Amino acid sequence: MRVVCLDMEGVLVPEIWLGVAEKTGLEELRLTTRDIKDYDELMTHRLKVLDQHDIKMDLIQDVIGKMGPMEGAKDFINGLKKHAQVIILSDTFYGFARPLMEQLDWPTLFCHNLDIAADGRIENYRLRTSDHKTKTVKALNALNFCTAAMGDSYNDTGMIQEASVSCFFRSPQCVLDDFPAYSHFTDYAEATEYLLTTDLK
Amino acid sequence: MRVVCLDMEGVLVPEIWLGVAEKTGLEELRLTTRDIKDYDELMTHRLKVLDQHDIKMDLIQDVIGKMGPMEGAKDFINGLKKHAQVIILSDTFYGFARPLMEQLDWPTLFCHNLDIAADGRIENYRLRTSDHKTKTVKALNALNFCTAAMGDSYNDTGMIQEASVSCFFRSPQCVLDDFPAYSHFTDYAEATEYLLTTDLK
């Protein structure tokens, strides 16, 4: 039996912060790790911007819920689940992902946590553990599962290198150039076939 | 975020081998680990009985599919999934569990594998790893998850002792007598509240 580990943003749902920036009109939320390398600095910036505009959890969840999953993502997951175990490994936060998970029939998601105040203000974020994607695939390998992994970006390359069957999905060219050993798909049906039927290395 | 680890047989679905014994009328399939202590000996006996009666995978799956999940089990899982990540940890086999998982909307299941011949004969079984329930909860703890566990029998006591929040569900009295430290539920709604809201030890 295979466990298929999927990245969330860019693979199943749109980039959350870009969507929030677009729907709120707050350009300062467009910054990514390409602009501010330090993740803690970036998240502190984002939470400060939300605070300055009095944007609380319910508004964010409403915005994210309206973004919706990518077209075909729900059928993709539900198709995989019939032949493999599926775990989504994401660096987002449960509070943000919740409205999207509901639209995907609540698949199993491993990610991080937010501290939400009683009035809905996002006070802080807590990474559950560093590099949890790679650690999770290692743990599944140690449990004698056959692991498959698919993601789109640099924070997926750890799990992609660790899993037995791996590929990229709709990745930026820079990622593909830096990791040329892996297949790249843009279509869910082709990715499904690859993840489920590729012989294990 | 909590990960709730649930046993399958006796908690979500009926005991599979008892159901197969009943529906096929084969009394020899009623033997359990209480009758034959050695698991390998028991499984070898079961597969031999199936062979003697020319019972193949499709018939077994048909029988198991008709057993169906326990009343309320689907709502129980779907209710938990809205507030926690749910992983079913079972000592059954993917081939047997498949028709039941379909009726439960394909929740994430960690269990073992069967070797099926081209003609559908069950040739052998392969335990993915020993004591995988305990090992999985340990791995989830190491990934900094809050773990909760619920099962009904002796093969659940490892994960129950390892998880932060644990209880039994519709257990035989002997199990409860041997492990008196844990709460025992017979109702899904009460179990849900316990698993989701009990403070972590």
Side-chain angles (χ1 to χ4, degrees):
Chain A
M1 175 55 63
R2 283 178 200 207
V3 180
V4 178
C5 297
L6 300 174
D7 177 35
M8 191 182 83
E9 290 176 76
V11 169
L12 302 169
V13 310
E15 295 292 334
I16 285 181
W17 286 105
L18 292 182
V20 171
E22 192 171 315
K23 302 240 175 189
T24 58
L26 296 172
E27 289 298 313
E28 309 107 288
L29 293 180
R30 285 194 181 275
L31 300 186
T32 70
T33 45
R34 288 182 213 174
D35 308 294
I36 302 180
K37 298 274 177 226
D38 184 78
Y39 184 76
D40 186 56
E41 199 182 319
L42 177 63
M43 276 302 297
T44 303
H45 159 79
R46 286 164 167 172
L47 296 187
K48 195 175 145 198
V49 172
L50 294 183
D51 256 4
Q52 283 169 342
H53 295 271
D54 201 30
I55 294 176
K56 292 179 178 164
M57 197 58 187
D58 52 352
L59 180 71
I60 289 263
Q61 285 198 332
D62 186 50
V63 164
I64 292 172
K66 283 179 182 150
M67 287 165 54
M70 282 152 62
E71 193 184 333
K74 185 172 171 175
D75 289 343
F76 170 59
I77 295 179
N78 287 338
L80 285 175
K81 277 162 126 182
K82 292 179 188 173
H83 304 283
Q85 305 309 306
V86 177
I87 299 179
I88 300 173
L89 300 181
S90 171
D91 280 328
T92 191
F93 305 94
Y94 282 109
F96 290 168
R98 190 175 168 76
L100 294 166
M101 291 303 103
E102 183 172 13
Q103 294 175 68
L104 293 172
D105 297 338
W106 302 104
T108 301
L109 168 68
F110 287 6
C111 64
H112 306 291
N113 295 284
L114 293 169
D115 291 327
I116 312 293
D119 68 353
R121 183 177 161 262
I122 302 170
E123 292 188 313
N124 212 342
Y125 72 97
R126 280 176 289 135
L127 297 187
R128 203 184 66 250
T129 181
S130 63
D131 197 13
H132 82 107
K133 298 185 185 210
T134 308
K135 286 178 182 167
T136 302
V137 172
K138 279 186 181 176
L140 292 167
N141 285 337
L143 289 165
N144 280 343
F145 276 113
C146 305
T147 48
M150 184 170 86
D152 71 334
S153 195
Y154 288 106
N155 69 339
D156 300 311
T157 56
M159 73 170 180
I160 279 175
Q161 290 172 289
E162 204 62 46
S164 292
V165 173
S166 301
C167 60
F168 287 111
F169 190 76
R170 299 185 191 175
S171 296
Q173 191 58 45
C174 55
V175 175
L176 302 178
D177 288 344
D178 287 348
F179 293 88
Y182 299 96
S183 298
H184 176 233
F185 298 97
T186 57
D187 176 84
Y188 283 130
E190 288 171 14
T192 299
E193 190 181 346
Y194 187 84
L195 291 167
L196 293 180
T197 67
T198 306
D199 283 340
L200 304 173
K201 71 185 172 193
Chain B
M1 176 56 61
R2 284 177 200 207
V3 180
V4 178
C5 297
L6 300 174
D7 177 35
M8 190 182 83
E9 291 177 76
V11 170
L12 302 169
V13 309
E15 295 292 335
I16 285 181
W17 285 104
L18 292 182
V20 171
E22 193 171 315
K23 301 239 175 190
T24 58
L26 296 172
E27 288 299 313
E28 309 107 287
L29 293 179
R30 283 194 183 275
L31 300 185
T32 70
T33 46
R34 287 182 213 171
D35 307 295
I36 302 180
K37 298 275 177 225
D38 183 78
Y39 184 75
D40 186 54
E41 199 182 321
L42 177 64
M43 275 302 297
T44 303
H45 159 80
R46 286 165 167 171
L47 297 187
K48 196 175 145 199
V49 172
L50 294 183
D51 256 4
Q52 283 169 342
H53 295 271
D54 201 30
I55 293 176
K56 292 179 178 164
M57 197 57 187
D58 53 352
L59 179 71
I60 289 263
Q61 286 198 331
D62 187 51
V63 163
I64 292 171
K66 283 178 182 150
M67 286 165 53
M70 283 153 61
E71 193 183 333
K74 185 171 170 174
D75 288 345
F76 170 60
I77 294 179
N78 287 338
L80 286 174
K81 277 162 124 182
K82 292 179 188 173
H83 304 284
Q85 305 309 306
V86 177
I87 300 178
I88 299 173
L89 301 181
S90 171
D91 280 327
T92 191
F93 305 94
Y94 282 109
F96 290 168
R98 191 175 167 76
L100 294 165
M101 291 304 103
E102 183 171 12
Q103 294 175 67
L104 293 172
D105 297 337
W106 303 105
T108 300
L109 168 68
F110 288 6
C111 64
H112 306 292
N113 294 284
L114 293 169
D115 291 328
I116 312 293
D119 67 353
R121 181 176 162 261
I122 302 170
E123 293 188 313
N124 212 342
Y125 72 97
R126 281 176 289 136
L127 297 187
R128 203 183 66 249
T129 181
S130 63
D131 197 15
H132 83 107
K133 298 185 186 209
T134 307
K135 285 177 183 168
T136 302
V137 171
K138 279 187 182 177
L140 292 167
N141 285 337
L143 288 166
N144 280 342
F145 277 112
C146 306
T147 48
M150 184 170 85
D152 71 333
S153 195
Y154 288 107
N155 70 338
D156 301 311
T157 55
M159 73 170 181
I160 279 174
Q161 289 173 290
E162 204 63 46
S164 292
V165 174
S166 301
C167 59
F168 287 111
F169 189 76
R170 300 186 191 174
S171 295
Q173 191 58 45
C174 55
V175 175
L176 302 178
D177 289 344
D178 286 349
F179 294 87
Y182 299 96
S183 297
H184 177 233
F185 298 97
T186 57
D187 176 85
Y188 283 130
E190 288 171 14
T192 299
E193 189 180 347
Y194 187 83
L195 290 168
L196 293 181
T197 67
T198 305
D199 284 340
L200 304 173
K201 70 186 174 194

